Amino acid sequence: MSEVIVVTSGKGGVGKTTTTANVGTGLAAAGKKVVLIDTDIGLRNLDVVMGLENRIVYNLVDVVEGSCRVKQALIRDKRYPGLYLLPSAQTRDKTSVNESQMRKLVEQLKEQFDYVLLDCPAGIEQGFKNAIAGADRALVVTTPEVSAIRDADRIIGLLEANSFSQIDLCINRMRYDMVKRGDMMTVEDVVDILSVNLIGVIPDDENVVISTNQGEPLVGNHTQAGRAYKNICMRILGQEVPYLDLDRSLSFWTKVTGIFHKSQEGRA
Amino acid sequence: MRLPKLFRRRASREVARDRLKILLISDRVNCSPEMLDMIKQDIAKVISRYMMIDTKNMEIQISKSSVYGIGNKNPSLYANIPILDLHKSN
């Protein structure tokens, strides 16, 4: 049975696109057939995060307007069998597509794929309405900051009003050193305030920037963020995965890099 | 080690959490913190007619889901009012 998941947040810049890319790639790496749809018309980005920007021929608006067939617009990611991207249009705006068109498109894709992931634009206007139209499950991304949590709460309210049965929360850019100092809200604080099911916590990891620079999602690799994203994928697949003890692994890595730096100094 | 810091300022985590809690109450019901405060004062006034309550420590909040987990999706108004004396002494 296929699932349609919308990745949304309300606020911009909290990591929707990065999360879509990594969760989608992780699900494909687990052997699922996955299609990622960038619904941010006018400001497309999922293609660059995935490193597929040079292979775009047709886009979402072309498909919806009937200028091409769905199959022609799908870009196959050569790194994983079963991973496809439907890019957004860069020179159009959000009003180029409506909700019923999105619903129809998603229905069509559901027949061929195990997972349809929709990368939602920031805001609560037409772009958001389009993105959630065909979805039956939502992944709400937030960061442990007042503004992002406030917007996430608003989004959760709107999703509930649209009778979403499953809403999961992903807390991004968690900094355990700041939590320890009492300068950042804890995972428990955020979950308590938003009162939704937590599906994963991604630590603030500079490797995310590096992976975006390279256009290669980091899910599944040895980095902290890579491991955390893999855990989210496994939880989406219905497996019970314990939460990473990031505090411990952080101090462990500090120790390791500490030794490394010392030895570098020794050599220099 | 942490003591001087503690005296200097409140942990910003707590400030953020408390601000958010108040902010979301008004966001969820579309009413301002001032209005909520007026509701609180009115409730206190009414109940004070019948018993002595601790108005300083009373809490009022609007939660998204029902407090008792009953299946309705409507927000509910939740008031926690400590009673000092059940019999009002005049």
Side-chain angles (χ1 to χ4, degrees):
Chain A
M1 201 194 84
S2 57
E3 269 193 304
V4 185
I5 310 173
V6 59
V7 181
T8 181
S9 70
K11 188 178 178 297
V14 296
K16 285 181 296 294
T17 305
T18 311
T19 301
T20 311
N22 279 287
V23 170
T25 306
L27 291 170
K32 298 289 175 187
K33 268 201 95 182
V34 183
V35 60
L36 312 177
I37 309 178
D38 189 349
T39 65
D40 201 344
I41 302 166
L43 293 166
R44 79 170 170 220
N45 271 324
L46 188 55
D47 53 335
V48 280
V49 176
M50 294 292 295
L52 300 171
E53 69 272 21
N54 293 326
R55 295 181 45 209
I56 298 175
V57 182
Y58 295 108
N59 59 51
L60 177 67
V61 179
D62 293 328
V63 174
V64 163
E65 288 180 344
S67 316
C68 70
R69 281 174 286 120
V70 182
K71 220 177 166 185
Q72 290 175 292
L74 292 179
I75 303 168
R76 193 173 72 85
D77 192 319
K78 289 168 185 163
R79 293 162 291 193
Y80 299 90
L83 181 60
Y84 291 80
L85 170 72
L86 179 54
S88 164
Q90 184 71 338
T91 52
R92 303 291 289 272
D93 65 66
K94 266 99 183 165
T95 52
S96 316
V97 175
N98 66 38
E99 287 141 274
S100 71
Q101 288 170 323
M102 280 304 292
R103 234 175 263 129
K104 208 176 119 197
L105 172 68
V106 168
E107 280 307 313
Q108 208 179 331
L109 289 168
K110 257 170 115 170
E111 290 167 16
Q112 306 163 47
F113 292 93
D114 299 318
Y115 286 95
V116 179
L117 259 68
L118 296 135
D119 184 19
C120 181
I124 50 172
E125 294 84 22
Q126 190 58 43
F128 169 74
K129 289 178 190 161
N130 287 340
I132 68 163
D136 37 45
R137 184 173 173 181
L139 193 64
V140 176
V141 184
T142 191
T143 60
E145 287 155 75
V146 179
S147 50
I149 295 170
R150 182 193 201 178
D151 290 1
D153 187 74
R154 182 104 168 82
I155 287 294
I156 291 165
L158 289 169
L159 292 170
E160 281 174 346
N162 279 278
S163 55
F164 267 71
S165 56
Q166 196 171 359
I167 303 169
D168 296 306
L169 181 71
C170 169
I171 306 175
N172 197 14
R173 281 199 215 119
M174 198 72 201
R175 282 191 54 183
Y176 288 85
D177 55 331
M178 289 188 74
V179 170
K180 240 179 174 173
R181 291 205 301 263
D183 276 331
M184 185 174 268
M185 277 181 276
T186 64
V187 171
E188 291 74 27
D189 287 339
V190 181
V191 173
D192 178 46
I193 288 167
L194 293 174
S195 57
V196 279
N197 176 54
L198 179 72
I199 199 157
V201 183
I202 314 295
D204 188 33
D205 185 345
E206 59 178 45
N207 289 300
V208 173
V209 179
I210 297 170
S211 108
T212 309
N213 288 345
Q214 293 167 333
E216 279 176 30
L218 48 64
V219 59
N221 72 10
H222 67 280
T223 61
Q224 286 198 5
R227 281 156 61 204
Y229 272 124
K230 193 182 177 192
N231 285 355
I232 292 183
C233 295
M234 281 152 80
R235 291 185 194 114
I236 288 175
L237 292 167
Q239 295 170 35
E240 288 232 354
V241 190
Y243 282 88
L244 294 172
D245 188 352
L246 289 156
D247 194 32
R248 209 173 64 195
S249 50
L250 186 85
S251 54
F252 173 72
W253 278 111
T254 326
K255 270 180 214 158
V256 173
T257 50
I259 291 164
F260 182 69
H261 282 306
K262 261 179 214 159
S263 65
Q264 289 282 81
E265 280 164 18
R267 256 181 258 159
Chain B
M1 193 186 108
R2 290 222 165 164
L3 270 178
K5 213 174 181 179
L6 228 133
F7 282 119
R8 206 165 59 224
R9 67 188 171 99
R10 226 173 121 220
S12 67
R13 165 218 169 188
E14 284 166 35
V15 179
R17 194 184 50 191
D18 295 347
R19 283 178 62 212
L20 256 172
K21 278 186 178 167
I22 295 166
L23 187 66
L24 293 189
I25 290 167
S26 48
D27 276 6
R28 283 169 190 170
V29 289
N30 212 358
C31 89
S32 63
E34 290 80 36
M35 193 170 130
L36 204 73
D37 201 51
M38 278 156 65
I39 296 174
K40 183 177 162 179
Q41 282 173 21
D42 283 353
I43 290 175
K45 218 189 310 180
V46 173
I47 299 185
S48 302
R49 274 189 226 149
Y50 304 96
M51 54 189 80
M52 262 174 74
I53 57 168
D54 184 358
T55 45
K56 274 203 187 101
N57 289 312
M58 76 177 270
E59 273 182 289
I60 151 164
Q61 48 176 277
I62 285 156
S63 58
K64 209 167 38 175
S65 50
S66 167
V67 180
Y68 302 103
I70 304 161
N72 70 337
K73 286 244 163 158
N74 298 328
S76 57
L77 183 80
Y78 170 81
N80 186 6
I81 309 167
I83 300 166
L84 295 174
D85 193 349
L86 266 174
H87 306 284
K88 189 177 169 152
S89 46
N90 287 315

